[in-house]
Amino acid sequence: MSYLVVVAHPDDEILGAGATIYKLAQENKEVNVCILCGDVEVRQYRPETEELNYDINSATNMVGIKRVIKGVFPNIALNTVKHLDLVQFIENAIIETKADVVFTHHPKDLNNDHYHTSIACQAATRIYQRRTDIKPLKELLFMEVPSATEWSTDSSGRQFTPNVFVEVGEERVKKKIEALSLYRGVMRPYPHPRSKEGITGLAAYRGSQSGTMYAEAFESAFRRIDISDNI
C-alpha cells in the first residue's frame, strides 16, 4: 500500500496526520508527501530557505516519510493559481508515488490555501477514471489541521465530520509533537491548538470519542472496495 499526503504548507502533514504517518511507516507502509507551497515565502517567523528545507527533511524523516514532492506555488495566494495547474501537479504526484490512499485538507478549513488544495486534490484523485493506465484509488481522506479546521466559521456547508479514527497511542503522539517541533516557529504556547497540550488533548479526545488510546481523526470522502478485499 502506498499513501500520499497532499498539503498546502510544510508542517500541515505533521499537524494533520503525523502520528498516523509514523504508525504506517512502522508497519512498513510507504508514505509520501506532496507540499504545494514548499517555500512558504510569506510565513510568519519563516526561517531562511536552507533552514526551512532542513526542517522539512528533519520532520518528515522523523515520522518515516519516504519522499517529499515540493511545489513552488505561492502561499496565502493559491486562489491566484490556475486550478488546472494545481490539479495536474497533484496528479503527477499520485502517478509518481503509485498512491492507493490519499490524505488532504478538509474543504471547509479556515485557511484559504487548504481549501484550494482540497478541491484540486479531489479532482486529481479521479485521474484513474480519466486514464485507464492509472490504478484505481482506494480511499480519499480529509484531515483535521489544528488552528485551521476547527477555526472555520463558515456555516454554509458541512464542517469536518470524522468517521475514521486511527489509534496511535501516547508514544506516537509524542513523536508527532517532536517532529512538529523541528519546524522552527510553528509551535505555540498553550492554549493555542498547536501547543503540546493542544495536540495531546485533541488526540486524547479523539481517542475517547472512538474508544481507543489516543487517535487521529479523518473524514472518509471516498472509499472504493473490491468485494474480494477483507473489510
Side-chain angles (χ1 to χ4, degrees), residues 73-153:
F73 298 103
N75 76 302
I76 319 301
L78 284 186
N79 60 304
T80 67
V81 179
K82 289 182 180 179
H83 175 68
L84 183 59
D85 290 347
L86 297 176
V87 172
Q88 290 179 337
F89 188 85
I90 298 169
E91 284 179 342
N92 287 333
I94 291 171
I95 294 168
E96 290 175 19
T97 62
K98 298 180 172 62
D100 295 293
V101 176
V102 174
F103 295 82
T104 194
H105 297 286
H106 190 274
K108 280 296 178 181
D109 276 16
L110 177 67
N111 188 293
N112 192 253
D113 282 352
H114 292 190
Y115 165 72
H116 286 282
T117 299
S118 182
I119 60 172
C121 191
Q122 290 173 58
T125 55
R126 290 291 180 166
I127 187 173
Y128 74 90
Q129 291 182 289
R130 299 190 294 272
R131 287 180 49 177
T132 57
D133 60 322
I134 305 298
K135 68 178 178 178
L137 186 76
K138 291 184 181 292
E139 190 162 22
L140 172 64
L141 293 154
F142 294 143
M143 311 180 297
E144 60 176 338
V145 175
S147 75
T149 309
E150 83 284 15
W151 279 4
S152 175
T153 56

Side-chain angles (χ1 to χ4, degrees), residues 3-227:
Y3 296 80
L4 177 65
V5 185
V6 179
V7 296
H9 315 111
D11 76 23
D12 287 336
E13 76 288 349
I14 305 296
L15 282 165
T20 298
I21 292 170
Y22 185 52
K23 181 176 184 176
L24 290 170
Q26 288 181 312
E27 296 172 352
N28 296 316
K29 305 289 176 54
E30 181 178 321
V31 185
N32 300 289
V33 169
C34 172
I35 304 173
L36 297 185
C37 308
D39 291 336
V40 285
E41 60 282 324
V42 296
R43 168 175 281 180
Q44 188 179 23
Y45 308 122
R46 181 190 184 277
E48 296 296 322
T49 298
E50 185 176 338
E51 294 175 328
L52 174 64
N53 290 332
Y54 180 85
D55 293 352
I56 292 171
N57 291 333
S58 298
T60 56
N61 285 337
M62 177 166 286
V63 295
I65 290 168
K66 181 179 179 181
R67 180 184 177 190
V68 177
I69 299 170
K70 210 174 79 164
V72 292
F73 298 103
N75 76 302
I76 319 301
L78 284 186
N79 60 304
T80 67
V81 179
K82 289 182 180 179
H83 175 68
L84 183 59
D85 290 347
L86 297 176
V87 172
Q88 290 179 337
F89 188 85
I90 298 169
E91 284 179 342
N92 287 333
I94 291 171
I95 294 168
E96 290 175 19
T97 62
K98 298 180 172 62
D100 295 293
V101 176
V102 174
F103 295 82
T104 194
H105 297 286
H106 190 274
K108 280 296 178 181
D109 276 16
L110 177 67
N111 188 293
N112 192 253
D113 282 352
H114 292 190
Y115 165 72
H116 286 282
T117 299
S118 182
I119 60 172
C121 191
Q122 290 173 58
T125 55
R126 290 291 180 166
I127 187 173
Y128 74 90
Q129 291 182 289
R130 299 190 294 272
R131 287 180 49 177
T132 57
D133 60 322
I134 305 298
K135 68 178 178 178
L137 186 76
K138 291 184 181 292
E139 190 162 22
L140 172 64
L141 293 154
F142 294 143
M143 311 180 297
E144 60 176 338
V145 175
S147 75
T149 309
E150 83 284 15
W151 279 4
S152 175
T153 56
D154 182 358
S155 60
S156 63
R158 189 166 56 79
Q159 303 293 313
F160 176 73
T161 307
N163 52 22
V164 174
F165 298 84
V166 178
E167 182 171 19
V168 293
E170 187 175 8
E171 291 307 311
R172 294 190 186 98
V173 176
K174 290 180 179 178
K175 181 65 70 172
K176 172 178 180 170
I177 293 168
E178 187 179 355
L180 189 60
S181 298
L182 294 176
Y183 278 112
R184 275 165 266 208
V186 167
M187 294 291 284
R188 298 285 189 273
Y190 185 74
H192 195 282
R194 294 203 309 265
S195 63
K196 175 181 177 181
E197 296 87 351
I199 292 168
T200 303
L202 178 60
Y205 170 66
R206 293 306 189 192
S208 65
Q209 189 178 22
S210 56
T212 60
M213 295 300 294
Y214 296 89
E216 285 183 325
F218 305 93
E219 181 176 340
S220 180
F222 170 82
R223 190 180 187 198
R224 188 175 185 272
I225 299 175
D226 189 314
I227 59 172

